[in-house]
Amino acid sequence: MKNYLYRFLVKPGMTRNGQSLIEILIAISAITIVLVSLVSAATRSLSGSVSARTQALATKLAEGQMEKIRAYRDRNGLSSISCADKCYLNDSLALQVSQQAVDILSVWFTVAVPGSCPSGNRQVTAISQWVDGKGTHQAKLISCFSLWQ
């Protein structure tokens, strides 16, 4: 019976002693393509999550700077908010001008009078800027400040 099956499956003159070199190369190539695709997808996913985390942190820092500006305005009045260049408020709400170049992550604000805001108001732009392997990025928050009482 075994001899009959062997003759039925294998044509006369054809023997099958193992895998050919071409079949092995095709299998290795297919496995390599799948593995490279998986590693590439994982790398892009990791890069995207790091970028999203940095963007969220920069936005949070810009929001914090905007809240400091509001507190500064409430203590000192609207006319005290005047800064045409890169300024920032430190934790004790002291107004300082930034003379340094952009670090890995820098936060500052600028003021335009009146900017695109109604007359008598000030347009305040809080900016967080960071540098990574893909270049320089910014998160901006723009708000119109008026005299609040």
Side-chain angles (χ1 to χ4, degrees), residues 17 29 58 63 83 91 115 120:
N17 292 330
S29 298
E63 288 172 351
C83 181
D91 290 334

Side-chain angles (χ1 to χ4, degrees), residues 112-127:
V113 181
S116 61
C117 296
S119 180
N121 295 340
R122 300 192 190 288
Q123 177 182 318
V124 178
T125 305
I127 302 165

